[in-house]
Amino acid sequence: MKKELLTGIKGLVTTLAVAMSVVLAYQLISTIGNLTKGNNYILSHSIFVIAIIAWILYRYSMKNYIKKCPIKLALYCPAIAVTIFALFTVWDTYIYIPNLFENELNSITQNALLCTITLGLLQPVAEEMLFRGIVLGSLLKGETKPWLAIGISTFIFSIIHLNFTQMISAAIFGMIMGWLFFKTRSLWPSIIIHSTNNLACCAWSFTSLSTITNGISKEHLLIIHIIIVLICVIILSHIIRKLSVIF
């Protein structure tokens, strides 16, 4: 397991180092040439994500991980993402977890189009290629037990966010996406789940959905949240039963 883990971590560190170097070069050029106006953070983030994808496609063979996944599974993936997103939205209402990068995240969401393309589409592809494709893929090539490999890759995926508000959800999603990758050896299920979750977060930030409960009494809000949780549990239970048939 040690050899496979070192291979995965080496791939992770190398990819992130290359992407950061590209971003630093962009920031240096834009500063010297005074090329950037407005929000530079979202542009830097977009370049960082694109650099990750480009490097992985150049350095690694992802051909075996882009194979087709069962259509039924692909249809269940958005439901999994939306259901878990709803559960975490309820969670955030009652349990406060500090957001260490709130200003940065708010800066990203100032440009709706670029944010949607970067966070909703490109970043899920980059992160799944990196954490499921390289890290988990390396661990599964050896004699590492599947659940241990999924747990290790999920832990790395979670802590690398460096933000308490994202670590918990990243851990939950990481276990689910890791399991689906192990079962299918395809990145598509995890990309669909990851992208759906990020697009839901974008929609939540861009619209007035986050303020929809304003004016509702605490008692009524509690009842609504209980109903939402029950519906989510029923949906997830149904999906788990269906997935057990597929696998």
Side-chain angles (χ1 to χ4, degrees), residues 6-16 55-56 60 130 134-135:
L6 289 176
T7 300
I9 292 178
K10 179 182 177 181
L12 171 67
V13 173
T14 302
T15 303
L16 293 178
W55 174 255
I56 291 176
Y60 300 92
L130 188 56
I134 294 179
V135 178

Side-chain angles (χ1 to χ4, degrees), residues 17-218:
V18 170
M20 290 175 65
S21 298
V22 173
V23 172
L24 288 174
Y26 157 73
Q27 291 180 341
L28 179 62
I29 294 172
S30 62
T31 300
I32 295 175
N34 195 24
L35 302 177
T36 304
K37 295 181 180 180
N39 191 347
N40 188 37
Y41 188 82
I42 180 60
L43 289 175
S44 297
H45 189 75
S46 300
I47 292 172
F48 180 73
V49 171
I50 293 172
I52 289 176
I53 296 174
W55 174 255
I56 291 176
L57 291 176
Y58 168 75
R59 182 65 178 82
Y60 300 92
S61 176
M62 291 284 117
K63 187 186 302 183
N64 295 332
Y65 296 151
I66 308 298
K67 59 186 179 181
K68 295 180 180 179
C69 69
I71 296 178
K72 287 186 178 180
L73 174 59
L75 294 175
Y76 284 129
C77 288
I80 294 173
V82 172
T83 303
I84 297 178
F85 174 79
L87 288 173
F88 273 110
T89 301
V90 174
W91 166 285
D92 288 340
T93 304
Y94 298 97
I95 300 178
Y96 172 75
I97 301 177
N99 188 344
L100 301 181
F101 300 113
E102 186 172 2
N103 293 333
E104 288 78 4
L105 291 173
N106 289 336
S107 178
I108 292 177
T109 56
Q110 288 179 9
N111 188 320
L113 178 60
L114 197 55
C115 177
T116 301
I117 294 174
T118 302
L119 295 187
L121 300 175
L122 295 178
Q123 184 165 315
V125 174
E127 291 187 356
E128 293 313 309
M129 292 172 70
L130 188 56
F131 292 99
R132 252 57 65 182
I134 294 179
V135 178
L136 182 54
S138 297
L139 288 169
L140 291 175
K141 287 179 181 178
E143 299 179 355
T144 309
K145 293 182 179 180
W147 281 112
L148 179 59
I150 294 170
I152 292 173
S153 64
T154 297
F155 176 74
I156 297 173
F157 176 63
S158 176
I159 62 171
I160 208 164
H161 282 80
L162 300 175
N163 193 2
F164 297 126
T165 58
Q166 294 175 296
M167 284 182 181
I168 298 176
S169 60
I172 300 298
F173 276 111
M175 291 297 292
I176 294 172
M177 295 185 296
W179 179 71
L180 290 174
F181 176 78
F182 162 65
K183 285 294 186 179
T184 64
R185 287 303 196 276
S186 172
L187 288 173
W188 285 118
S190 57
I191 287 176
I192 294 172
I193 291 176
H194 201 152
S195 183
T196 303
N197 175 73
N198 284 19
L199 287 171
C201 292
C202 290
W204 191 260
S205 300
F206 299 148
T207 66
S208 57
L209 290 175
S210 57
T211 60
I212 196 172
T213 58
N214 290 354
I216 300 178
S217 65
K218 291 184 178 180

